[in-house]
């Protein structure tokens, strides 16, 4: 399977039944009154502008606080998923410095209130063992790993006594999910039963986004996950991390080679109003 086909499969679809729509005009920054999320993904290589390693180019954002539980962020690190907060205004320059390979893919998800795929690993031709911080995990053939998200408009802080409009925000949840192979039929007869999806609830992230930062997600190998952080990662470094299994297309490529960078940019209205409240004069 060519890289173009593999990467085309990484985004799309909806875990809950809705379908993301390609962005038609502008970015969320240009649509401040439209609540929702823009999904963008880039394919990057080992190095970016000036031959600088990708991790070096991301280093300015590594120490920035993220609007997420630090325990959840560390659990992601331990499983090969690095998550960072990047100022929205920095995203275009960062994308340029990372020098993405091929076209940049963008989708306007809006308020995706049902679980929606934001990245998808290839369908497994054979069982795959991934290394996690709690030990090896065997994933069955025919299934695939993905990152799924849902989001909706909310208030950053609510006070009935506050005068004027309440500041708006976007509530976001992200979780890795393994979807097993679908049920198999032969001549109309059900030969196998479909297993339910496995959600890694312990790795669920929740955040209230104010629109100032975009959320960036990138895969890490076992060595990268443990470097410079007090993180317990996979004990068997020969196994791919969960992040690699989702965001790196083929094990045949060199570790730290081409991988997907997922960028989620929130669009937050300046004010959040309850319709029932607004109707009272």
């Amino acid at each position: 399977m060519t890289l173009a086909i593999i990467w085309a499969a990484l985004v799309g679809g909806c875990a809950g039944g809705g379908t993301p729509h390609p962005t038609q005009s502008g970015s969320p920054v240009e649509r401040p009154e439209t609540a929702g999320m823009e999904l963008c993904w880039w394919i990057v290589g080992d190095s970016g502008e000036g031959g600088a390693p990708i991790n070096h180019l991301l280093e300015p954002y590594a120490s920035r606080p993220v609007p997420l539980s630090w325990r959840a962020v560390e659990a992601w690190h331990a499983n090969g998923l690095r998550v960072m907060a990047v100022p929205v205004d920095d995203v275009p320059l960062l994308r340029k410095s990372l020098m993405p390979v091929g076209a940049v893919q963008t989708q306007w998800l809006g308020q995706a209130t049902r679980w929606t795929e934001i990245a998808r690993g290839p369908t497994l031709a054979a069982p795959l063992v991934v290394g996690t911080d709690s030990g090896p995990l065997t994933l069955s053939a025919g299934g695939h790993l993905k990152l799924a998200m849902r989001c909706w408009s909310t208030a950053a802080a609510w006070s009935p006594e506050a005068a004027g409009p309440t500041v708006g925000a976007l509530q976001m949840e992200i979780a890795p999910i393994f979807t097993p192979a679908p049920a198999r039929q032969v001549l109309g007869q059900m030969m196998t039963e479909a297993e339910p999806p496995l959600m890694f609830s312990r790795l669920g992230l929740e955040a209230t986004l104010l629109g100032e930062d975009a959320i960036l997600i990138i895969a890490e190998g076992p060595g990268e996950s443990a470097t410079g952080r007090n993180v317990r990662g996979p004990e068997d470094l020969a196994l791919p991390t969960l992040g690699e299994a989702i965001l790196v297309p083929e094990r045949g490529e060199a570790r730290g080679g081409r991988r997907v960078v997922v960028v989620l940019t929130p669009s937050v209205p300046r004010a959040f109003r309850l319709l029932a409240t607004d109707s009272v004069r």
Side-chain angles (χ1 to χ4, degrees):
M1 183 178 290
T2 65
L3 272 175
I5 295 174
I6 292 170
W7 295 117
L10 280 174
V11 234
C14 177
T19 302
H21 300 287
T23 301
Q24 298 298 325
S25 60
S27 68
V29 180
E30 297 165 341
R31 294 184 301 221
E33 299 304 325
T34 304
M37 189 76 76
E38 182 184 79
L39 165 65
C40 192
W41 58 274
W42 318 326
I43 304 169
V44 300
D46 286 316
S47 57
E49 199 169 37
I54 293 297
N55 287 342
H56 176 74
L57 296 171
L58 293 174
E59 195 59 34
Y61 307 103
S63 59
R64 295 189 77 248
V66 291
L68 302 160
S69 159
W70 69 268
R71 291 185 184 277
V73 171
E74 290 295 276
W76 270 44
H77 282 320
N79 289 279
L81 286 160
R82 190 176 186 187
V83 58
M84 289 174 280
V86 177
V88 169
D89 292 341
D90 286 13
V91 171
L93 288 177
L94 178 61
R95 180 179 64 197
K96 180 182 177 182
S97 68
L98 294 182
M99 299 178 63
V101 178
V104 171
Q105 301 295 322
T106 303
Q107 289 178 307
W108 173 247
L109 302 180
Q111 296 188 59
T113 56
R114 303 177 72 182
W115 287 108
T116 301
E117 285 184 4
I118 58 173
R120 176 175 176 169
T123 299
L124 302 179
L128 175 69
V129 181
V130 295
T132 75
D133 60 337
S134 56
L137 174 65
T138 301
L139 303 174
S140 58
H144 63 270
L145 281 163
K146 63 186 176 185
L147 289 178
M149 181 210 71
R150 57 184 180 182
C151 64
W152 58 92
S153 181
T154 187
W158 175 253
S159 172
E161 295 79 20
T166 302
V167 176
L170 196 68
Q171 189 69 24
M172 176 191 73
E173 297 178 357
I174 306 178
I177 297 175
F178 177 69
T179 301
R184 188 167 61 91
Q185 293 188 17
V186 176
L187 298 177
Q189 296 291 324
M190 191 70 69
M191 303 300 292
T192 60
E193 294 185 3
E195 298 179 25
L198 169 64
M199 177 177 284
F200 296 82
S201 54
R202 186 173 64 85
L203 301 180
L205 294 180
E206 298 182 17
T208 302
L209 306 177
L210 301 179
E212 300 170 350
D213 290 330
I215 301 299
L216 183 148
I217 302 169
I218 189 170
E220 295 181 313
E224 294 174 298
S225 299
T227 302
R229 290 187 294 275
N230 185 23
V231 176
R232 178 178 177 270
E235 296 179 0
D236 188 344
L237 300 186
L239 298 177
T241 63
L242 196 63
E244 287 181 301
I246 300 173
L247 298 176
V248 176
E250 292 179 317
R251 294 301 310 283
E253 295 203 15
R255 276 277 173 87
R258 290 188 178 181
R259 45 187 160 170
V260 170
V261 178
V262 176
V263 181
L264 295 164
T265 305
S267 176
V268 178
R270 294 187 181 92
F272 176 83
R273 298 181 184 274
L274 294 175
L275 294 178
T277 303
D278 290 347
S279 65
V280 177
R281 301 295 180 185

